[in-house]
Amino acid sequence: MRLRPPVLDKYRKQLMSKTAQSETKKAANKRPELGPAMSGSEILVACLEREGVETIFAYPGGASMEIHQALTRSKKIRTVLPRHEQGGAFAAEGYARATGRAGVCMATSGPGATNLVTGIADAFMDSVPLVAITGQVPQAMIGKGGFQETDIYGMTLPVVKHSYLITDINDIPRIVKEAFHIAQTGRPGPVLIDLPKNVQQARTQPVFPKEVHLRGYHADRHASDLELNEIIGLIQKSERPVLYVGGGIITGNASAELFRFAETTQIPVTTTIMGCGAFPETHRLSLRWLGMHGTAYANWAVNGEFVHRKSFTEPMQRIAPGADLLLAFGVRFDDRVTGKVEKFCETGTIVHIDIDPSEINKNKPANLPIVSDIKYALGRMVEMLEEQPLEKKFTAWHEQIASWKERAPFAYRVTDEVASSHHMRDHLKGKENEVILPQMVVELLYELTQGDAILTTGVGQHQMWAAQYYKFKHPRQLLTSAGLGAMGYGYPAALGAKVAFPNRQVVDIDGDGSFLMNVQELATAHIENIAAKAIILNNQHLGMVVQWEDKFFEGNRGHTYLGDPENRKQIYPDYVAMAKSFNVPSERVMYRKDLRAAMQRMLDSTEPYVLDVIVPYTEHVLPFIPAGKTVADMIWKV
Ligand SMILES: Cc1ncc(C[n+]2csc(CCOP(=O)(O)OP(=O)(O)O)c2C)c(N)n1
Ligand SMILES: [Mg+2]
């Protein structure tokens, strides 16, 4: 091949128009780039750097140590060593949920890889962008049952958005680029990359692509004006519209558009737990979140108000009608929201917008289903409404909602059950006015952080109280394992969020059971200097299961006590001593008078911190709609 002399090139450029020049520049930017000869492991790290990865949560082993060796030479990537691969996966998720960018975790083959599975499943259920990398035994050993071989590709198939087993070193750059693209676009989700050891060790000159070409993958879809006009027509005809919005608003970066749409139309907004913060919960149009433990008024607004029935077989008697139009945007009609799905918004017209066509008509048939990016759809509808404003004001509907809100806010009190509980006898010596209810702790945290903290949670009662008593003003403020409901999520997720936002207050509100499931991450926090805080709402029980035992099994305890049955007066295990053994400062609070100062000390600490708050186990999370039941079965009076 003959090369053109550079002088000629310069001359050609002078002759070209400005636009043509910029077109050529653009084309050059898109041209793949040839790198120097490197090992597969080094290529992988170079690809991660090109994707802008700043942090990877990675635990080494025989099948991934080559990649760790390459990581030690990276000047751009911080490698955080979690103390369990599950902690690493949850931390990567926490990072992703807090930032919107893909979190990255890595493990060795076999047990390392299987320890990532819960995190991958969690990311799948909650649509979190995650790239999970696993080392694999050498290709020649695959299928031979060699040491630490598991088919992680096969095992994770039902819980990934996509996955790869790399068999050719030359594919690494394309695959990594695709993996990040798939994880972060459309409906986000987890992508697995399994990389056999011989591919890590092979050498080649990599070609780094600048673009992704994926046939049949359409991440960007836009509703037509015709469809959006139809929605506006339905709003015009409606008397009682409700916006039911979820995590899709947050992942679709559509909060600002939702805000404008709600204010323009004056339609009240309820969110799912995944959608907490998508619309400011302090706004007068906010109904907070709905479903099993959501506000009574959000549930009534969607379904109507009914006479409370004592048995599930009694007929349902409606007192007041609910929504006649439900705008379900970026939600998936999860059973924790709908209860008995046939009865959910039974009398309303349902408009469902989702970016993922597989969600349409999956759980609940929609009258008007639309596949679209929600940011686009909301933004365009606002434009249309500015051109032709709505005539409706929905005054009567707002009055009805205001009276529901006044009647049934989230509420708690020291009940007789609490007063006569073991907790009172064993720990508080009957000093009722000193008892700390879990709800109070969250309320106080809200006050002391002015509602600006990033919260993570475990799974259980404490998770529901965290979501109920903290009012979320912004998206990405509540990071919680919603769809999978994975205990142990809270603290590692807090580490991930704190790595992403070192200057923000990140607090894990955890249960004693959940915290214990990944307590080893206190070591990661201390050694890596990640000042994430944890508040344990320590009720010495698997509280949420206890609540169900109380409701459905006459309080018979089926292995739900976490303390020492031989010594109920002792708080067991001793989290304060445990935290101290990790060199993490910690304090226990038993009495209300000590709570405020102790919490302030925790917030002021520049180190990770554990605040062990002892609370009664007898509290129930209210409101409560039993699983698969209806709003007529909702218990909401304290
Ligand atoms: C990994 C895992 N195992 C079991 C469960 C079932 N489960 C749901 S809530 C709960 C109790 C959680 O106890 P704790 O963390 O102390 O929170 P609390 O309800 O007491 O606030 C259990 C066992 C789960 N969600 N996740
Ligand atoms: Mg508990």
Side-chain angles (χ1 to χ4, degrees):
M1 191 169 66
R2 264 184 53 210
L3 291 176
R4 257 201 318 267
V7 192
L8 253 183
D9 253 6
K10 204 175 160 194
Y11 180 65
R12 268 164 56 86
K13 262 192 193 156
Q14 277 171 9
L15 287 179
M16 277 158 81
S17 70
K18 274 253 158 69
T19 31
Q21 274 187 40
S22 86
E23 287 301 312
T24 340
K25 220 176 186 175
K26 262 193 220 155
N29 283 343
K30 286 179 183 173
R31 224 171 281 147
E33 174 200 338
L34 184 68
M38 301 185 226
S39 72
S41 296
E42 287 164 339
I43 296 170
L44 174 68
V45 172
C47 290
L48 297 177
E49 288 177 348
R50 279 172 163 73
E51 291 303 320
V53 174
E54 295 161 347
T55 307
I56 178 170
F57 300 89
Y59 202 101
S64 66
M65 59 183 296
E66 304 258 352
I67 307 168
H68 281 264
Q69 288 299 309
L71 279 168
T72 61
R73 292 187 287 274
S74 173
K75 299 214 164 44
K76 294 188 178 148
I77 301 176
R78 171 184 185 186
T79 304
V80 172
L81 173 71
R83 264 46 176 186
H84 188 303
E85 290 87 351
Q86 185 181 93
F90 286 162
E93 266 200 274
Y95 179 95
R97 290 192 204 229
T99 61
R101 298 195 302 275
V104 187
C105 58
M106 184 167 81
T108 190
S109 65
T114 55
N115 277 347
L116 290 182
V117 174
T118 306
I120 296 172
D122 192 75
F124 183 72
M125 293 290 273
D126 286 350
S127 307
V128 178
L130 179 77
V131 174
I133 302 165
T134 47
Q136 183 53 281
V137 298
Q139 270 169 288
M141 303 279 288
I142 290 180
K144 311 249 175 192
F147 180 64
Q148 294 195 329
E149 183 198 351
T150 46
D151 176 9
I152 193 68
Y153 177 92
M155 253 179 208
T156 51
L157 266 181
V159 291
V160 291
K161 185 171 174 189
H162 198 56
S163 47
Y164 298 93
L165 168 63
I166 303 186
T167 55
D168 182 339
I169 184 172
N170 295 304
D171 288 341
I172 296 176
R174 172 185 58 82
I175 285 177
V176 174
K177 186 133 205 80
E178 284 178 11
F180 277 82
H181 179 71
I182 294 170
Q184 297 178 127
T185 54
R187 178 184 188 169
V191 179
L192 174 91
I193 302 175
D194 199 21
L195 188 60
K197 187 159 177 163
N198 64 305
V199 184
Q200 297 169 31
Q201 290 167 328
R203 289 185 78 79
T204 194
Q205 243 191 302
V207 179
F208 299 105
K210 296 274 172 63
E211 283 186 323
V212 168
H213 299 283
L214 287 165
R215 242 191 318 155
Y217 180 71
H218 308 293
D220 204 17
R221 296 177 191 243
H222 288 174
S224 68
D225 275 7
L226 202 68
E227 289 169 312
L228 299 176
N229 239 325
E230 206 167 330
I231 300 178
I232 293 173
L234 288 169
I235 298 172
Q236 201 73 259
K237 271 193 255 154
S238 138
E239 297 297 329
R240 297 181 308 280
V242 170
L243 271 155
Y244 149 52
V245 301
I249 301 287
I250 296 175
T251 52
N253 293 320
S255 285
E257 286 76 7
L258 172 67
F259 190 85
R260 265 184 275 136
F261 182 79
E263 289 223 314
T264 310
T265 58
Q266 289 298 306
I267 300 179
V269 186
T270 182
T271 75
T272 62
I273 284 201
M274 282 298 297
C276 276
F279 187 76
E281 293 192 309
T282 43
H283 194 282
R284 77 197 146 74
L285 286 171
S286 171
L287 299 167
R288 310 283 314 269
W289 50 281
L290 83 170
M292 183 178 275
H293 295 298
T295 60
Y297 47 89
N299 287 320
W300 287 330
V302 170
N303 300 293
E305 187 186 352
F306 290 81
V307 175
H308 176 75
R309 53 176 187 180
K310 297 252 154 29
S311 108
F312 302 138
T313 50
E314 279 175 30
M316 289 171 70
Q317 264 179 277
R318 196 192 308 270
I319 300 170
D324 61 358
L325 176 65
L326 190 69
L327 302 176
F329 294 169
V331 285
R332 60 184 182 85
F333 298 88
D334 172 73
D335 61 88
R336 284 310 194 244
V337 162
T338 63
K340 193 179 173 74
V341 72
E342 307 84 87
K343 292 282 167 201
F344 182 70
C345 193
E346 202 180 11
T347 52
T349 300
I350 295 180
V351 178
H352 188 188
I353 305 185
D354 206 292
I355 189 71
D356 180 359
S358 78
E359 283 301 339
I360 303 285
N361 293 331
K362 184 176 95 179
N363 292 335
K364 179 89 181 167
N367 303 85
L368 178 56
I370 298 170
V371 177
S372 176
D373 171 47
I374 195 63
K375 186 182 179 74
Y376 171 80
L378 284 166
R380 181 75 191 114
M381 280 193 284
V382 170
E383 281 174 9
M384 290 164 137
L385 287 163
E386 274 163 6
E387 276 166 32
Q388 208 172 354
L390 275 186
E391 284 145 28
K392 280 285 174 59
K393 297 269 185 287
F394 312 118
T395 319
W397 184 222
H398 285 137
E399 279 165 12
Q400 167 68 280
I401 286 172
S403 88
W404 277 333
K405 275 188 178 178
E406 206 177 301
R407 187 140 55 90
F410 283 135
Y412 61 84
R413 65 184 171 89
V414 179
T415 56
D416 294 343
E417 236 184 334
V418 172
S420 60
S421 62
H422 272 296
H423 177 72
M424 269 309 166
R425 259 181 287 140
D426 295 344
H427 306 305
L428 288 189
K429 322 260 173 329
K431 278 193 258 171
E432 255 177 56
N433 53 345
E434 283 303 330
V435 69
I436 302 174
L437 295 184
Q439 299 92 324
M440 294 171 184
V441 181
V442 183
E443 261 181 354
L444 184 62
L445 182 69
Y446 178 73
E447 184 196 322
L448 296 184
T449 56
Q450 284 104 47
D452 284 329
I454 296 175
L455 257 55
T456 68
T457 74
V459 172
Q461 292 183 309
H462 64 277
Q463 176 187 29
M464 298 299 114
W465 286 316
Q468 288 183 339
Y469 288 90
Y470 205 92
K471 291 190 202 107
F472 301 94
K473 294 185 280 190
H474 309 291
R476 307 191 182 284
Q477 246 192 306
L478 174 64
L479 320 179
T480 192
S481 170
L484 192 68
M487 289 172 67
Y489 180 81
Y491 197 63
L495 295 186
K498 187 70 180 175
V499 164
F501 293 105
N503 297 324
R504 288 188 64 181
Q505 194 67 258
V506 180
V507 184
D508 165 33
I509 295 189
D510 224 327
D512 46 335
S514 296
F515 186 72
L516 195 58
M517 283 205 176
N518 274 317
V519 69
Q520 76 287 341
E521 297 311 326
L522 286 173
T524 316
H526 176 71
I527 302 296
E528 295 278 344
N529 258 320
I530 309 170
K533 317 287 166 64
I535 298 178
I536 307 176
L537 296 179
N538 189 347
N539 56 10
Q540 296 280 282
H541 282 76
L542 297 171
M544 187 55 98
V545 186
V546 165
Q547 177 166 345
W548 287 39
E549 286 173 343
D550 289 347
K551 180 88 182 74
F552 307 113
F553 299 94
E554 282 105 34
N556 185 34
R557 299 282 167 252
H559 320 107
T560 45
Y561 180 55
L562 293 172
D564 178 357
E566 302 300 319
N567 185 2
R568 297 186 75 101
K569 291 203 164 101
Q570 185 193 32
I571 301 295
Y572 180 90
D574 184 343
Y575 289 99
V576 177
M578 210 185 291
K580 290 198 169 148
S581 79
F582 286 102
N583 283 346
V584 169
S586 176
E587 228 183 304
R588 175 175 297 157
V589 189
M590 189 84 81
Y591 305 111
R592 202 183 303 172
K593 62 180 170 47
D594 302 326
L595 184 62
R596 181 177 286 263
M599 194 181 286
Q600 195 58 57
R601 277 192 290 277
M602 176 199 82
L603 292 170
D604 291 344
S605 169
T606 52
E607 288 180 72
Y609 202 100
V610 175
L611 192 64
D612 185 27
V613 185
I614 311 302
V615 295
Y617 71 92
T618 29
E619 264 314 89
H620 283 185
V621 182
L622 292 179
F624 179 29
I625 302 176
K629 297 296 184 283
T630 71
V631 73
D633 309 301
M634 177 169 66
I635 306 160
W636 59 275
K637 279 199 186 122
V638 185

